[in-house]
Amino acid sequence: MNYLDTIQQYINNLPQEVHQALKEASTIRRYKKGDLLLQQGEVCQRSFHLLTGIARKYYLNEGKEITTEIYFQNDLALSFESYVLQKPGREYIEALTDIEVSATPFNAFRALRKQFPALMELDVMLSEYYAIWLEQRLFQFYTLSATERYRAILEKSPQLIQHIPLTMLASYLGISLETLSRIRAKI
Amino acid sequence: MNYLDTIQQYINNLPQEVHQALKEASTIRRYKKGDLLLQQGEVCQRSFHLLTGIARKYYLNEGKEITTEIYFQNDLALSFESYVLQKPGREYIEALTDIEVSATPFNAFRALRKQFPALMELDVMLSEYYAIWLEQRLFQFYTLSATERYRAILEKSPQLIQHIPLTMLASYLGISLETLSRIRAKI
DNA sequence: CGCTTTCTTTGACATAAGTCAAATATTTTC
DNA sequence: GAAAATATTTGACTTATGTCAAAGAAAGCG
């Protein structure tokens, strides 16, 4: 069982009243493919729990989009630094298909966290999980070549390759589109 | 004021009894230059608050050391994933000078966290801070060349360059020692 | 203090990956 | 279903960075 499963189990075991309170604090929203849930320069004022569809997070560098995270069903989408510090960020969150999310305002979650210690604990777990995920990504940049990074994704997250254009995948891997195309041709 | 200052201020404002409890749970340890506080394959069972000296965290990849973090006075040293999940990790923590640390066992901190909600909140903040730091490092790998990454360190963390050998700095930057030497010759 | 070890620089060459440009292929839209 | 837009591949060439080897400089040790 990995940490994400542990967290999921922790969520499943939360008392009914906590689930209820969370639900009341959140609103269901629908977005069309291509819609932006968050834009550069905005404060990330809510977390988006992805109920259906696919989304991504990216930022612009020298006019090019760099995709940093792909979200699938049940993932939690937010611009971390902007959300945590409640200050304008540089990231965009975009719907890659029509999506449905449960949006929870930062302030509302803060209040609930105070009220229910179990949610505070959940918050620790989520940040820890994200940090561990980031460590692993960084580890890959340190130790793997472009081809190896692509292979690692093939093995660990094949759904990622099937659902997003290669341009996004290339930027996610930190390589050019052409290089990715050549890697794929060889494998 | 950056987030680290916010955290420091939060710590300073903790009630005296919390400080006292933390102190009682911790032990002061001294290590000689070159000593290992943690080794590959071990579970990181305590966090090390660095009181004096310099230390680093690294791991081995194909026989080479990759330095992933340098610790100075007042930094908190631990192998994150190993500590959080309490499972064997791949990282080493090494004293780069004679050092003095305050070591707090994982279990003791867990217990205190339950007892004092303020410590739970501190724990969230520390994980958040680490995740934001990791995001920034990853951002640099995505957007900066080797030379630019070196320049960024020159500006943001000059003390890092003054105190560690270039071999460590090169691996920290994700480049070879020779490339780093050539970058320095040009600047 | 001189010897040894470690660290850093430099040279010559190899290689991974980037860039620019154009040709295909695929998807979307009307 | 044809036209337009978007996505992918391929070719030719450039560039950043790596590797191996050796020399030079600095630090640590007895």
Side-chain angles (χ1 to χ4, degrees):
Chain A
M1 189 167 83
N2 71 28
Y3 198 39
L4 195 54
D5 292 333
T6 308
I7 294 174
Q8 192 53 57
Q9 201 171 305
Y10 186 86
I11 292 173
N12 294 341
N13 291 334
L14 287 175
Q16 188 52 40
E17 58 163 349
V18 175
H19 277 290
Q20 188 56 34
L22 260 180
K23 198 175 171 185
E24 276 164 19
S26 310
T27 54
I28 304 291
R29 294 181 175 202
R30 267 161 266 270
Y31 293 92
K32 290 270 166 220
K33 175 177 179 175
D35 284 355
L36 294 175
L37 286 69
L38 179 73
Q39 277 193 265
Q40 176 172 49
E42 291 178 1
V43 174
C44 185
Q45 289 177 306
R46 46 200 115 242
S47 61
F48 303 99
H49 181 212
L50 194 53
L51 304 177
T52 63
I54 303 175
R56 68 159 173 157
K57 185 177 71 185
Y58 70 94
Y59 57 79
L60 293 177
N61 183 248
E62 294 174 358
K64 285 192 179 168
E65 298 177 358
I66 297 183
T67 298
T68 52
E69 204 170 351
I70 311 286
Y71 304 107
F72 295 95
Q73 194 163 33
N74 214 19
D75 282 341
L76 196 62
L78 47 81
S79 180
F80 195 82
E81 180 169 359
S82 174
Y83 179 85
V84 164
L85 306 181
Q86 285 292 292
K87 70 175 195 187
R90 63 186 156 223
E91 294 176 310
Y92 296 79
I93 296 178
E94 180 194 13
L96 292 180
T97 62
D98 289 0
I99 64 174
E100 198 178 32
V101 303
S102 168
T104 310
F106 174 84
N107 290 328
F109 189 75
R110 280 275 144 150
L112 288 179
R113 231 177 55 167
K114 263 218 142 75
Q115 195 181 341
F116 302 109
L119 283 184
M120 180 68 93
E121 205 163 320
L122 175 62
D123 207 17
V124 185
M125 292 171 85
L126 290 170
S127 286
E128 286 172 347
Y129 176 73
Y130 185 56
I132 290 171
W133 181 81
L134 287 169
E135 274 193 341
Q136 283 167 359
R137 300 225 60 217
L138 211 40
F139 179 73
Q140 297 201 333
F141 276 96
Y142 272 118
T143 62
L144 305 181
S145 68
T147 306
E148 291 168 330
R149 294 205 294 281
Y150 176 71
R151 277 228 169 83
I153 290 219
L154 260 188
E155 284 166 27
K156 276 197 75 174
S157 323
Q159 81 284 16
L160 207 147
I161 288 163
Q162 289 155 10
H163 292 102
I164 69 167
L166 291 191
T167 322
M168 292 178 195
L169 182 58
S171 71
Y172 183 81
L173 289 169
I175 59 180
S176 72
L177 170 62
E178 294 92 332
T179 296
L180 175 57
S181 179
R182 289 185 178 110
I183 286 171
R184 286 161 57 88
K186 267 192 228 151
I187 289 180
Chain B
M1 189 165 87
N2 71 29
Y3 199 38
L4 195 55
D5 292 334
T6 308
I7 294 174
Q8 192 53 57
Q9 201 171 305
Y10 186 86
I11 292 174
N12 293 341
N13 291 334
L14 287 175
Q16 188 53 41
E17 56 163 349
V18 176
H19 277 291
Q20 188 56 34
L22 261 180
K23 198 174 170 185
E24 278 164 18
S26 310
T27 53
I28 304 292
R29 296 183 175 199
R30 267 161 264 272
Y31 294 91
K32 290 270 165 221
K33 175 176 178 174
D35 285 353
L36 293 176
L37 286 68
L38 179 74
Q39 277 195 265
Q40 178 172 48
E42 290 178 1
V43 174
C44 184
Q45 289 177 306
R46 45 200 116 242
S47 61
F48 302 100
H49 180 212
L50 194 53
L51 304 176
T52 61
I54 303 175
R56 68 158 173 157
K57 187 177 69 185
Y58 71 94
Y59 57 79
L60 293 177
N61 184 247
E62 293 174 358
K64 285 190 179 168
E65 298 177 357
I66 298 183
T67 298
T68 51
E69 203 169 352
I70 312 286
Y71 303 108
F72 295 95
Q73 194 163 33
N74 214 18
D75 281 342
L76 196 62
L78 47 82
S79 179
F80 194 83
E81 181 169 358
S82 174
Y83 179 85
V84 165
L85 306 181
Q86 285 293 292
K87 70 175 195 186
R90 63 186 156 224
E91 294 176 310
Y92 297 78
I93 297 177
E94 180 194 14
L96 292 179
T97 61
D98 290 359
I99 63 173
E100 198 178 33
V101 303
S102 168
T104 311
F106 173 84
N107 289 328
F109 189 76
R110 281 275 145 150
L112 288 180
R113 231 177 55 165
K114 264 218 144 75
Q115 195 181 341
F116 303 108
L119 283 185
M120 179 69 93
E121 205 163 320
L122 175 61
D123 207 17
V124 184
M125 293 170 85
L126 289 171
S127 286
E128 286 173 348
Y129 176 74
Y130 185 57
I132 290 170
W133 181 81
L134 287 169
E135 274 193 340
Q136 283 167 1
R137 300 224 60 216
L138 211 41
F139 178 73
Q140 295 201 335
F141 276 96
Y142 272 118
T143 61
L144 305 182
S145 68
T147 306
E148 290 167 331
R149 294 206 293 280
Y150 177 72
R151 277 228 169 81
I153 289 217
L154 260 188
E155 283 167 26
K156 276 197 74 176
S157 323
Q159 81 284 14
L160 207 148
I161 288 164
Q162 289 155 11
H163 292 102
I164 68 167
L166 291 192
T167 322
M168 293 178 195
L169 182 59
S171 72
Y172 183 79
L173 289 169
I175 60 180
S176 72
L177 171 62
E178 294 91 333
T179 297
L180 176 56
S181 178
R182 288 184 178 110
I183 287 171
R184 286 161 57 88
K186 267 192 226 151
I187 289 180

